[in-house]
Amino acid sequence: MKFIHCADAHLDSPFLGLKQMDAQIGAQLYQAPFTAFEKMIERAISDDVAFVLISGDTFDSQNQSLKVQWFLKNQFERLQKAQIQVYLIFGNHDYINDTTTHVNYPENVHVFGPSVQTYRFISQEGYKIDINGFSYDQRHIPTSRTSEYPKPAPDAKLTIGMLHGGLYGNGANDYAPFTLEALQQQGYDYWALGHIHHHQILSQRPLIIYPGNLQGRQADESGAKGFYEVNYDFDELKPTFMPVAPFQWQTLTVESPEPLNINAVVAHLQDMLIAFPRHTNFLLSIVLKANSVAKEVQEALINEQLLSILQDQLGNTMANQIIYPVSVRLMAEADMNLPEIDTKFWQANVDQVFNLKNLREVLGNLTSERFITQEFIHEDRLNELRKNAELKILNNIQEEDAD
Ligand SMILES: [Mn+2]
């Protein structure tokens, strides 16, 4: 018997913050989470799995759009035809509210409510499998919910817990926090987690697994994305990671001993791309690391011509594969060649100038728009602003030196 465990599909993600992206590639990227989900469904059918566990954040937004609901209904109907069950919890992104659920899902879909509940699945062989879980009914769940999960039933062959949440760590955790020990001591065989977008096996016995998202949404969600297919021979559980993301985010660092000019940047990148795998598309965050960077490259970084050039140059190198730069920046530690006194002054003051509070103040009333807050009140934007300011200062200093 097999089952699939996925999470964090984030269907209908707007993919914010991608500047000057080619419209066609942008459209494919928007479609990518849907494509990844369809690939997962195809795999479920071709491998004849017994059921699919979906551990939250299937929708990107708590306004579960009709478009996504209809898409899911169609996908779930494909599973229904193949007699595959679906167990679905909602997470902090798609938490249940009064306006949720307008589309009726087929009968093979079992949705968990806000209290922990149990669905029992009977395998073809007659084994009883219990699946426990709950859905978010609010954005934040600051208290642990693990104590609400029932002990395994004596007649159950296999017990699974579904949980959208985060490990207790250093800071606050508003997402149904749990400790590894609590999950391990529950007596379950498999914990189907969701919420963290990086796939990882937290524990082997019992298996406690984050499948990660089906498609990375931004540069820091790099690497392969997909789901786990779990083989169960009624003795042991064997999980296998299955990558399905049409696009993979990847950071590429261009290192050069010589001053980096435009020819060197392009040549280094083209060399690196030769070794790239061909099975998926790549969105590149390019980082330039060199002792010095030619002035025209610095200027092209500021006015973003460099990104345009690299998109033109690298975007069409491979047939049937997209390798597309989405950002290019200097490495933070890059030697800016600032006079020492200036560097000290800059570092002492930079945090007082470039912080989220100031950014919010600059944007004023605009921050009442949620999409503006999401797009601009962000560490990434602060870093960009800071880098651009550093480059402008650097350029002015060099011009002064030249005078
Ligand atoms: Mn989440």
Side-chain angles (χ1 to χ4, degrees), residues 8 10 57 91-93 164 175 194-197:
D8 300 277
H10 284 274
D57 287 1
N92 56 302
H93 270 263
H164 191 90
Y175 306 104
H195 185 55
I196 299 299
H197 291 178

Side-chain angles (χ1 to χ4, degrees), residues 45 119 181 242 246 396:
I45 294 167
Y119 286 106
E181 294 71 31
M242 304 277 181
N396 285 340

Side-chain angles (χ1 to χ4, degrees), residues 63 306 391:
N63 307 313
L306 184 62
L391 283 167

Side-chain angles (χ1 to χ4, degrees), residues 141-143 165-169 171-178 195:
I141 297 184
T143 51
L167 264 175
Y168 272 115
N173 180 343
D174 285 338
Y175 306 104
F178 61 86
H195 185 55

Side-chain angles (χ1 to χ4, degrees), residues 80-325:
Q80 187 187 30
K81 280 193 193 113
Q83 294 181 305
I84 297 169
Q85 305 299 303
V86 177
Y87 298 94
L88 177 67
I89 63 174
F90 294 113
N92 56 302
H93 270 263
D94 54 357
Y95 64 92
I96 307 166
N97 59 43
D98 293 344
T99 61
T100 308
T101 310
H102 313 277
V103 170
N104 290 329
Y105 294 137
E107 280 177 1
N108 60 325
V109 181
H110 312 282
V111 182
F112 289 82
S115 302
V116 174
Q117 66 183 103
T118 307
Y119 286 106
R120 172 158 281 189
F121 173 84
I122 314 270
S123 79
Q124 276 183 343
E125 299 80 358
Y127 289 117
K128 300 178 177 87
I129 296 174
D130 283 345
I131 299 155
N132 307 283
F134 74 93
S135 288
Y136 282 48
D137 60 355
Q138 54 198 307
R139 182 169 293 282
H140 296 121
I141 297 184
T143 51
S144 176
R145 301 287 299 272
T146 44
S147 65
E148 295 168 35
Y149 283 74
K151 284 288 162 201
D155 61 338
K157 177 75 176 161
L158 186 80
T159 309
I160 295 172
M162 296 177 73
L163 173 61
H164 191 90
L167 264 175
Y168 272 115
N170 296 325
N173 180 343
D174 285 338
Y175 306 104
F178 61 86
T179 64
L180 217 47
E181 294 71 31
L183 298 193
Q184 283 166 336
Q185 284 161 17
Q186 187 68 20
Y188 289 8
D189 305 287
Y190 188 101
W191 279 96
L193 304 180
H195 185 55
I196 299 299
H197 291 178
H198 182 65
H199 71 90
Q200 53 203 298
I201 297 179
L202 297 182
S203 156
Q204 287 288 347
R205 272 174 195 276
L207 279 167
I208 304 176
I209 295 184
Y210 278 118
N213 45 0
L214 291 170
Q215 166 63 58
R217 293 186 306 160
Q218 56 210 37
D220 62 0
E221 296 180 357
S222 58
K225 299 290 175 187
F227 59 89
Y228 278 91
E229 187 176 276
V230 184
N231 189 62
Y232 180 47
D233 60 5
F234 303 103
D235 179 28
E236 267 199 280
L237 293 159
K238 284 212 179 73
T240 307
F241 181 71
M242 304 277 181
V244 281
F247 285 89
Q248 186 167 320
W249 299 80
Q250 191 79 40
T251 298
L252 265 195
T253 304
V254 177
E255 267 186 87
S256 175
E258 300 124 51
L260 262 188
N261 60 40
I262 183 66
N263 303 302
V265 171
V266 172
H268 279 292
L269 280 168
Q270 282 175 332
D271 279 352
M272 294 167 98
L273 293 190
I274 292 168
F276 261 53
R278 300 281 165 242
H279 64 273
T280 188
N281 302 307
F282 285 93
L283 299 172
L284 302 180
S285 304
I286 295 165
V287 181
L288 306 179
K289 186 183 181 189
N291 285 332
S292 64
V293 175
K295 182 130 179 292
E296 79 273 5
V297 172
Q298 291 173 11
E299 278 169 2
L301 273 166
I302 294 168
N303 62 27
E304 298 189 337
Q305 283 183 14
L306 184 62
L307 182 58
S308 285
I309 291 167
L310 295 177
Q311 285 172 341
D312 279 354
Q313 196 59 39
L314 306 178
N316 301 314
T317 41
M318 306 297 165
N320 304 321
Q321 184 183 28
I322 298 167
I323 298 183
Y324 191 75

